[in-house]
Amino acid sequence: MDFKNNSILLNLNLFTSHFHDRILFQDFSKGEKLLFLVTIMAIWHEQKNNCLVIHIDESELTEEILDRMRQVLTVAFLNRLYNLVFDLSACTMIDSYFIGLVISTFREVKELGGNLKCAGVTGQVAHAFEVIRLNKVVDLHETVDDAIRQFEWEALNKAK
């Protein structure tokens, strides 16, 4: 496909699937099709009060998203943000790699004087937390706001 040719007519079709967007470019002048597979991971973060909230808008938490999560965690630690909330409300499945990340992150933030809370844990994800008793270690909250309020309450009680 000649992208330098201004006379090319491109038809852009977007198809969404888990972890990937397929972008199909079709050159009607030559009848060629080119399929690009672009990895898009919906992980974003925001600072609320003294917490960093990491929103994970993926239904399956697997090894594929660990690199992006580690990047966000590195940013948090470099900015001395040790109170973290993982928003797992969009998640329906979790694997052992992600569970390992939760455990290692919990240990790291505890050593640094912070804490990790998870919000929106339901279904199979909640069951996985219960089976390995991770729910006994990491605080689970229905919403991100509930987790942030808990951090605020803990900070007030610590100051007394």
Side-chain angles (χ1 to χ4, degrees):
M1 185 178 281
D2 181 9
F3 288 103
K4 295 179 184 175
N5 184 345
N6 292 333
S7 65
I8 291 177
L9 177 62
L10 293 177
N11 179 20
L12 178 62
N13 297 304
L14 293 176
F15 303 94
T16 303
S17 69
H18 187 70
F19 290 115
H20 302 285
D21 278 350
R22 292 178 191 90
I23 303 174
L24 176 67
F25 290 96
Q26 184 171 356
D27 179 352
F28 289 107
S29 67
K30 296 180 183 174
E32 296 176 3
K33 292 182 181 179
L34 184 58
L35 181 67
F36 292 95
L37 196 57
V38 181
T39 302
I40 297 176
M41 295 179 194
I43 299 172
W44 57 283
H45 61 278
E46 63 180 330
Q47 187 172 348
K48 288 190 172 186
N49 299 338
N50 66 334
C51 306
L52 185 72
V53 179
I54 302 171
H55 300 275
I56 307 159
D57 294 337
E58 294 287 345
S59 60
E60 297 182 4
L61 302 180
T62 62
E63 181 182 17
E64 295 179 21
I65 69 166
L66 290 183
D67 286 339
R68 176 67 180 125
M69 285 292 296
R70 287 186 183 112
Q71 290 172 356
V72 173
L73 292 170
T74 299
V75 169
F77 295 155
L78 289 173
N79 287 295
R80 299 180 192 271
L81 295 170
Y82 307 128
N83 288 330
L84 306 177
V85 177
F86 285 178
D87 177 8
L88 306 177
S89 57
C91 305
T92 59
M93 197 281 292
I94 190 169
D95 74 2
S96 60
Y97 293 102
F98 195 84
I99 290 171
L101 177 75
V102 171
I103 293 168
S104 64
T105 301
F106 176 79
R107 287 179 181 156
E108 287 180 59
V109 296
K110 282 300 218 181
E111 288 176 11
L112 295 167
N115 204 345
L116 170 67
K117 300 181 186 305
C118 292
V121 177
T122 60
Q124 188 273 340
V125 176
H127 180 70
F129 272 63
E130 291 169 12
V131 167
I132 63 170
R133 301 191 188 281
L134 193 52
N135 60 329
K136 303 291 184 191
V137 178
V138 176
D139 291 337
L140 303 182
H141 298 273
E142 285 188 28
T143 67
V144 168
D145 289 337
D146 290 344
I148 292 170
R149 277 193 290 276
Q150 182 66 31
F151 271 124
E152 291 170 348
W153 183 84
E154 290 168 359
L156 284 173
N157 284 336
K158 190 176 183 180
K160 290 181 179 182

